[in-house]
Amino acid sequence: MTATTATLTRLRAWRPGGYLRASGVLFGWLAVRTLAQTALFVLVARTLGAEGYGSLIAVMAIATLFAPLAGLGGQALLVRDGARNPEHLATHLGDALRLWAISVVPLSVAAFVACHLLVPPALPAYAVAAIVLADLAGASLLELLARTWQAVQRMGGFGAAMAGLIVARLAVFCALLAIAPPSPANWAVWYGTVTAAYVLLAGGAALRCFGIPRRSDTPFVRLVSAGFPFAFAGSAMRIQAEANKPILARLDSIAGAGVYSVAQRVTDILAVPLQAMLETLLPRAYRMASGTLPIYTLGIPALLLAIIGGVAIAAGAPWLPVLLGPGFVESVPVTALLAFVPAMFVLRMLLTMALAGRSQQTQLYDAYGLGAFISVAATALLVPAWGARGAAVATYIPEAVMIARQLISLVGNRKHY
């Protein structure tokens, strides 16, 4: 048998392992979610225009900044502890719901006040409240419920729960278009209504699958101490991703926030297969008490995909005005600038998983806190002169800093492992 024949024989005999099969299942659901999100984004942007779309995005950005703090990291504890002790999943779910219930009301009030102070008054107060409740309270509770499926590596249930909300929003917006194009304020109200209804359905499904949540005897302070590093890191990530929009709205224009959001949505398309790989790897990383080489090895395909996809996004950026209209022509250079952010995101997340696998999540405070501060500072510095393009350039700076900081943490503690 020749070498070529032997290679072809091995390729024909190859079957994906559990990790790749689970990644494929999640990828399918995330693809559905992304297609629905893309269709919704195109319809809303074309219907409301850059000004109307920008008014919604600026409020949504503020709300999503607070969302990772709702739950105080209970979602991450649910995945970590549920993966390690699936027989006690109902108890871990009860602890996570306890943390969420205590934190969500003050955070919702703080987000509403922040929207009033930081975002130009383009929407009425009731519309702002509807968006805050949807993207902070509703989205955080839905994520918590979905993470229950992820903890036991039922990635199909996890993906379906996360995809269904976007599909429901798309269906409602299409129904509204059939009657009459909604205003930004009207869509905000419907946005909040459909989110609340869907989360109630997801909660019922979780109860049927996993039973009634039970409360453990773990003191509240201990739960917060264990979970908050994850909440802090998640909030810092949101600051990186979303704070640039209200900064653009304030220092540049609301239309500039809409332009940047369009470019970010395009790069989010590439994030679908990357997220499937990383989310599937996450519970495995939490079970690894030592030895991070498998994390890096399984992350290589994701990193290569991010680089190749970045090239494709940069090449396809000139077609955006054809799809969305001439009002979004400025999104072309911004999209090209953001094309390789996913590659840096993959590298940063692999390093974060390595720290989590070693139970060193407290070191996330330094890396992610510094990244969030630098993200806001760099954006505020570059936006007045360069607008949305400056915000795109500023995106790379905190990513590089967080990668470097996590590498220092891993190398510095290597001797202990």
Side-chain angles (χ1 to χ4, degrees):
M1 181 181 294
T2 65
T4 301
T5 303
T7 300
L8 292 175
T9 301
R10 287 194 295 269
L11 288 174
R12 285 196 297 268
W14 179 82
R15 296 294 183 272
Y19 167 68
L20 289 180
R21 286 196 301 270
S23 296
V25 170
L26 182 56
F27 170 75
W29 281 112
L30 292 180
V32 171
R33 182 173 185 254
T34 300
L35 289 174
Q37 183 71 62
T38 302
L40 180 62
F41 148 65
V42 171
L43 289 174
V44 173
R46 289 189 68 92
T47 301
L48 303 182
E51 191 80 13
Y53 182 68
S55 66
L56 290 175
I57 285 298
V59 175
M60 291 176 181
I62 294 290
T64 54
L65 286 179
F66 287 85
L69 295 175
L72 303 175
Q75 298 92 328
L77 293 179
L78 175 61
V79 176
R80 187 193 70 182
D81 298 338
R84 292 173 176 173
N85 304 290
E87 65 275 10
H88 300 300
L89 187 63
T91 301
H92 300 315
L93 176 58
D95 286 340
L97 288 171
R98 176 185 171 194
L99 291 174
W100 178 86
I102 291 173
S103 60
V104 69
V105 173
L107 286 171
S108 297
V109 173
F112 181 83
V113 173
C115 289
H116 177 72
L117 295 177
L118 300 177
V119 178
L123 291 174
Y126 67 84
V128 174
I131 293 174
V132 168
L133 291 176
D135 282 349
L136 196 163
S140 61
L141 180 55
L142 177 61
E143 181 190 355
L144 189 157
L145 296 170
R147 296 289 178 187
T148 312
W149 280 279
Q150 185 186 21
V152 294
Q153 299 192 53
R154 292 170 60 176
M155 305 309 294
F158 171 62
M162 300 300 290
L165 176 59
I166 308 302
V167 173
R169 288 172 177 171
L170 175 61
V172 169
F173 191 82
C174 289
L176 293 174
L177 281 180
I179 300 172
S183 66
N186 287 339
W187 171 235
V189 172
W190 280 104
Y191 185 87
T193 302
V194 69
T195 300
Y198 183 84
V199 172
L200 287 175
L201 292 175
L207 290 178
R208 288 194 299 271
C209 289
F210 305 108
I212 303 298
R214 296 192 297 269
R215 177 174 172 174
S216 72
D217 296 328
T218 305
F220 174 74
V221 174
R222 184 179 300 175
L223 287 174
V224 174
S225 177
F228 195 71
F230 297 106
F232 181 85
S235 184
M237 289 172 64
R238 289 293 177 88
I239 289 175
Q240 272 191 266
E242 304 295 345
N244 39 39
K245 300 181 186 70
I247 291 175
L248 275 164
R250 177 66 65 177
L251 300 183
D252 185 46
S253 65
I254 289 181
V259 162
Y260 183 88
S261 179
V262 167
Q264 198 170 48
R265 293 293 186 188
V266 173
T267 60
D268 284 347
I269 296 174
L270 177 58
V272 176
L274 301 178
Q275 185 180 1
M277 293 177 178
L278 296 175
E279 291 286 4
T280 304
L281 183 57
L282 188 59
R284 298 168 185 259
Y286 285 140
R287 290 202 309 271
M288 295 176 184
S290 63
T292 56
L293 183 59
I295 297 176
Y296 302 140
T297 302
L298 291 173
I300 290 175
L303 186 58
L304 291 175
L305 178 61
I307 295 171
I308 295 171
V311 174
I313 287 175
W319 289 93
L320 283 174
V322 177
L323 178 64
L324 301 178
F328 290 93
V329 66
E330 182 59 25
S331 293
V332 174
V334 179
T335 301
L337 285 170
L338 288 176
F340 295 99
V341 169
M344 300 192 73
F345 163 76
V346 169
L347 182 56
R348 186 240 300 169
M349 286 305 299
L350 290 175
L351 295 171
T352 299
M353 288 183 192
L355 286 172
R358 294 178 172 184
S359 296
Q360 295 177 307
Q361 64 264 27
T362 56
Q363 298 192 33
L364 300 180
Y365 284 122
D366 290 344
Y368 282 83
L370 186 60
F373 173 79
I374 292 177
S375 176
V376 173
T379 303
L381 181 64
L382 297 178
V383 161
W386 295 341
R389 299 187 193 196
V393 172
T395 304
Y396 286 89
I397 301 174
E399 288 287 353
V401 170
M402 286 191 292
I403 289 171
R405 183 65 186 87
Q406 290 183 105
L407 278 172
I408 292 172
S409 296
L410 287 168
V411 173
N413 289 277
R414 185 177 181 181
K415 61 183 180 180
H416 299 296
Y417 294 88

